[in-house]
Amino acid sequence: MMSNILSQKHFEQLKNLAYKTAKVKKGTFLFQEGQVGENFFVVLSGKFQISKFSGDGKELCLRLCGPNAVIGELMIFSDNGRYLFNGRALEDSEVLVIKNESIEKELLANPEFAVEFLKMMTDHFRKQHTKFRDLVLYGKKGALYSTLIRMANSYGVQTSDGILLDVPVTHQDLANFSSTSRESVNRELNALKSKGIVSFKGRKIIIHSLDYLKRQINCESCPSSYCNIE
């Protein structure tokens, strides 16, 4: 599950390795944890949610992915690799499908491509590390604050009132990103509202004090390229 930081040249090279395109209907899974990971994917259109289910059935959302996103655990040079996460379409979508063996051949034949690909994988690992760090070190409240910060970096629009998260998001969506219940998110958002930290505009959230949220989780001021929801 990697973000695209390849140069345009190598990104096009990667796309050219695809052996087919696939349409994915809204609500269906492109891949699921436990399945053999033979392919990975480049999103052409639509949007996907990357998540993992816990033993008690709760869903932890890790990423929202739009066009040009690179998704799917890439099991290169690994026997019997299996997907660790789920990729579900949030709307009717289309992807390029690339076999792992095609990537392996290109990495061995093209050192310049291999270096950029390694950087892309490292970027992914750093992103995942910060997400799990926030959840483990600062609990579910910290995970919610971290999610709001990441959404601000991905979808935030500066207005006279504060930072508008210009994407409709439900309390259940936030609960999934925080691995907690909708009721817990409701209570915490109401507490933040009473302190003047956030307010609501329809289904959208306005953050009035991003610094407050950052202080609560000892934010390390990571570049927005790492601290985002994508």
Side-chain angles (χ1 to χ4, degrees):
M1 184 175 62
M2 281 153 286
S3 59
N4 172 30
I5 60 169
L6 295 174
S7 66
Q8 187 62 35
K9 169 187 172 182
H10 289 129
F11 186 53
E12 292 300 323
Q13 192 172 346
L14 176 65
K15 291 165 66 176
N16 287 337
L17 296 175
Y19 73 96
K20 69 175 183 179
T21 61
K23 295 184 182 297
V24 188
K25 291 185 178 180
K26 178 181 178 179
T28 61
F29 288 94
L30 177 61
F31 55 87
Q32 290 182 273
E33 54 185 303
Q35 292 180 340
V36 176
E38 297 178 333
N39 304 308
F40 86 116
F41 314 90
V42 176
V43 180
L44 294 178
S45 63
K47 184 176 293 185
F48 288 87
Q49 175 180 282
I50 308 302
S51 66
K52 187 172 182 66
F53 292 104
S54 64
D56 60 2
K58 288 184 180 179
E59 185 177 20
L60 173 61
C61 298
L62 297 169
R63 189 178 169 204
L64 295 177
C65 308
N68 292 327
V70 179
I71 61 176
E73 292 79 27
L74 185 60
M75 304 298 177
I76 55 173
F77 305 113
S78 174
D79 295 330
N80 302 317
R82 295 181 181 273
Y83 293 120
L84 301 175
F85 302 102
N86 306 292
R88 180 168 58 89
L90 297 180
E91 55 192 49
D92 289 344
S93 305
E94 187 174 16
V95 298
L96 290 173
V97 185
I98 306 172
K99 287 188 176 296
N100 291 343
E101 61 186 38
S102 298
I103 295 291
E104 293 172 1
K105 291 178 181 178
E106 190 65 28
L107 292 173
L108 292 172
N110 188 335
E112 187 179 326
F113 176 82
V115 169
E116 280 203 10
F117 199 86
L118 179 60
K119 289 180 179 179
M120 184 176 71
M121 293 178 66
T122 301
D123 176 71
H124 161 68
F125 294 142
R126 285 191 62 181
K127 282 186 176 184
Q128 292 305 99
H129 169 77
T130 59
K131 291 173 184 177
F132 288 121
R133 174 205 64 194
D134 292 342
L135 181 59
V136 171
L137 293 183
Y138 304 113
K140 295 177 179 180
K141 179 188 288 189
L144 173 61
Y145 290 3
S146 172
T147 297
L148 292 173
I149 294 168
R150 293 175 190 280
M151 285 189 166
N153 289 334
S154 295
Y155 301 107
V157 176
Q158 188 66 55
T159 70
S160 58
D161 293 328
I163 300 174
L164 171 68
L165 304 187
D166 195 22
V167 57
V169 58
T170 67
H171 289 188
Q172 186 60 59
D173 292 332
L174 292 174
N176 290 344
F177 274 108
S178 308
S179 188
T180 188
S181 67
R182 182 170 56 84
E183 291 75 17
S184 295
V185 167
N186 288 344
R187 286 194 298 270
E188 189 55 40
L189 287 177
N190 285 333
L192 290 173
K193 181 181 178 181
S194 67
K195 296 176 182 178
I197 307 301
V198 304
S199 62
F200 304 96
K201 185 177 182 180
R203 289 180 58 196
K204 297 181 179 180
I205 297 173
I206 299 175
I207 299 176
H208 301 290
S209 178
L210 194 64
D211 287 340
Y212 174 88
L213 299 177
K214 289 182 175 181
R215 287 196 302 271
Q216 300 308 303
I217 61 169
N218 296 317
C219 178
E220 298 173 358
S221 298
C222 299
S224 58
S225 58
Y226 291 117
C227 185
N228 58 57
I229 210 70
E230 299 174 346

